[in-house]
Amino acid sequence: MSLFGFIFLLSFGHSDWIEVPLDHEDPYSIKVKIEYSIQQPFDSKKKTIITHADPLDDYLGLGDLIELEFTGFNLIKIHGRYSSPYLNQFIEENTGIESDKKYLWLSRGQIIKDIEVVRKEILGDDSAILIGFGSGAGLIHYYLHEFPNNVEKVVSLNPLLLDIPKNLSFWDLLEGFDSIFKEYSTDQIVRFSITSSEPYFFMDKPIRDSLLESRIKEFVKTSFSESQKEISLGLEARAFEHYLDIGIYDLGPFGHFLGLLSSSLRSNTMSLEYFNGTNYDRGKAYSSKIILVGGVYNLLLDPKSFDVIGEFYPNASVHYLRDGYDFSETRKRRIWEALISSLCSDDVSTKIEMFKLLQEHELLFQEKNYNSIRVGK
């Protein structure tokens, strides 16, 4: 453990800053400061969980899903360069910077190297448990493929890895609902989709369409409000990467949503030389445990995607919940924190008790009959 890490043994959980290269590939790069926080007093006897904030998750109101009390672990949350005032100030003071450079500095290739700087500074040679949800889970997978030897375990929750369904030509789950969605904005459709947890695709079409129509109408009337959050450069960069992953010719609701978020950066970026997709073949080099948890009723991700992702890792397990993209049903039952802690733990008895609890709450999806999903018209 480094001297910096040792200091945390004596201090209470708080936020701090660390310098990282603006461009990790440039040996002469200037440095910028990024923020991270440690949830509680650092205990060298405990294992350490690392997670990284993601601007798309934050924009969708889901950035706090894994801000939990992990009493049996050290928890490091990296807020990172996406929200670094030092990076923002540098860009604002240098107005002539090309969009290509801005994207390079905010690309996931830089983010994962920031994660490695923080891990090494605090943990030294010790490995970490990585946990991520949604878009943030995508960053975790990207890091894992570059630094497999520094990861003890991965917990990946509804990972937003859109190149998987695109490359395998899975159905767009929202295709065929044009007549229902035509009166709603892209923002309304996407925000409804992330909160939905109804088993629409296990219903007969007339029942499904009728329920879907009534549910989105109710959502827009009672729950929806236009986002007042600023579209930051970090959000643009992250949305741009997902937009490229999903395929630039896919104009489904979520693809259109990503395109709108990244429109300014997209229209001014002349080259994609800094864009690197996720090399899933590198997953074979990671022999430790990876746990994938998917909500089988979500409207954004085809549930078959999670099984496909699991195939790239030698020691993967895939678990399905009767839930949506935002895991609202699981969180509603107040077992979300206990579930995530049990997945991070090596205690087999704790895992068994948790799976019994999931069964009691009828949240565990075990049929694996999602191939019967009725999609489209």
Side-chain angles (χ1 to χ4, degrees), residues 307-322:
D307 272 338
V308 173
I309 295 168
E311 290 295 323
F312 289 103
Y313 303 97
N315 192 14
S317 60
V318 183
H319 307 288
Y320 287 96
L321 299 182
R322 297 176 180 275

Side-chain angles (χ1 to χ4, degrees), residues 2 22 25 36 64 78 87 104 118 136 149 176 184 189 195 210 232 241 259 275 292 300 324 331 335 349 366 369:
S2 68
L22 179 61
E25 302 303 318
Y36 65 92
D64 61 348
I78 304 172
L87 177 54
L104 166 65
V118 174
N149 296 327
Y184 301 106
I189 296 169
T195 61
S210 175
S232 65
E241 289 177 325
F275 174 78
L292 293 131
L300 289 188
R331 292 187 290 128
I335 59 173
S349 62
Q366 295 176 297
N369 63 349

Side-chain angles (χ1 to χ4, degrees), residues 37-280:
S37 57
I38 297 183
Q39 187 184 71
Q40 57 264 336
F42 193 97
D43 185 346
S44 62
K45 297 183 178 67
K46 294 180 179 179
K47 294 183 177 182
T48 298
I49 297 171
I50 293 179
T51 185
H52 195 292
D54 188 284
L56 182 59
D57 294 332
D58 290 338
Y59 186 74
L60 293 173
L62 301 173
D64 61 348
L65 255 64
I66 47 181
E67 290 186 359
L68 308 171
E69 291 292 332
F70 292 99
T71 54
F73 303 88
N74 301 309
L75 174 62
I76 300 171
K77 180 172 183 179
I78 304 172
H79 306 282
R81 63 177 63 202
Y82 288 130
S83 58
S84 170
Y86 298 94
L87 177 54
N88 289 335
Q89 181 180 351
F90 176 78
I91 291 175
E92 289 173 2
E93 290 175 350
N94 294 271
T95 55
I97 296 172
E98 297 177 350
S99 288
D100 298 56
K101 281 290 186 182
K102 294 177 185 177
Y103 172 67
L104 166 65
W105 295 333
L106 289 162
S107 66
R108 54 192 170 195
Q110 303 289 342
I111 301 299
I112 64 168
K113 292 181 174 67
D114 291 348
I115 296 174
E116 177 57 11
V117 169
V118 174
R119 184 209 64 80
K120 189 172 183 179
E121 185 68 22
I122 298 177
L123 300 181
D125 295 330
D126 294 340
S127 58
I129 298 170
L130 300 184
I131 181 169
F133 161 81
S135 184
L139 293 175
I140 294 302
H141 282 267
Y142 204 74
Y143 172 90
L144 175 62
H145 297 168
E146 292 295 325
F147 303 101
N149 296 327
N150 299 337
V151 182
E152 178 181 342
K153 181 188 289 186
V154 174
V155 178
S156 181
L157 309 163
N158 271 341
L160 197 64
L161 297 169
L162 298 171
D163 46 352
I164 293 289
K166 182 201 75 171
N167 292 337
L168 295 176
S169 300
F170 289 165
W171 286 96
D172 174 1
L173 296 181
L174 298 179
E175 187 173 346
F177 298 134
D178 295 347
S179 61
I180 297 174
F181 289 151
K182 62 182 179 181
E183 62 184 278
Y184 301 106
S185 69
T186 299
D187 194 41
Q188 289 172 330
I189 296 169
V190 169
R191 292 183 185 277
F192 166 74
S193 298
I194 65 173
T195 61
S196 174
S197 57
E198 297 279 359
Y200 294 113
F201 300 110
F202 298 85
M203 302 175 180
D204 291 330
K205 178 175 169 36
I207 298 173
R208 178 197 69 191
D209 289 1
S210 175
L211 182 61
L212 186 64
E213 186 170 11
S214 65
R215 286 286 190 266
I216 189 170
K217 184 177 182 179
E218 179 185 7
F219 169 80
V220 171
K221 182 179 180 181
T222 62
S223 304
F224 176 78
S225 59
E226 293 287 347
S227 176
Q228 301 301 313
K229 294 182 179 179
E230 177 187 358
I231 300 179
S232 65
L233 188 58
L235 174 59
E236 282 196 68
R238 195 69 184 111
F240 188 25
E241 289 177 325
H242 286 302
Y243 181 81
L244 292 171
D245 280 340
I246 206 173
I248 60 175
Y249 300 109
D250 188 319
L251 296 179
F254 196 52
H256 186 52
F257 177 76
L258 296 169
L260 290 173
L261 288 180
S262 60
S263 60
S264 178
L265 187 62
R266 231 171 3 97
S267 61
N268 292 301
T269 299
M270 306 303 294
S271 170
L272 297 180
E273 65 174 301
Y274 305 127
F275 174 78
N276 293 299
T278 305
N279 186 346
Y280 293 99

Side-chain angles (χ1 to χ4, degrees), residues 317-347:
S317 60
V318 183
H319 307 288
Y320 287 96
L321 299 182
R322 297 176 180 275
D323 213 332
Y325 181 72
D326 68 348
F327 293 109
S328 56
E329 293 300 315
T330 308
R331 292 187 290 128
K332 195 184 299 180
R333 288 160 173 79
R334 302 184 183 279
I335 59 173
W336 177 247
E337 186 169 316
L339 170 61
I340 304 307
S341 293
S342 71
L343 295 175
C344 293
S345 172
D346 293 327
D347 186 348

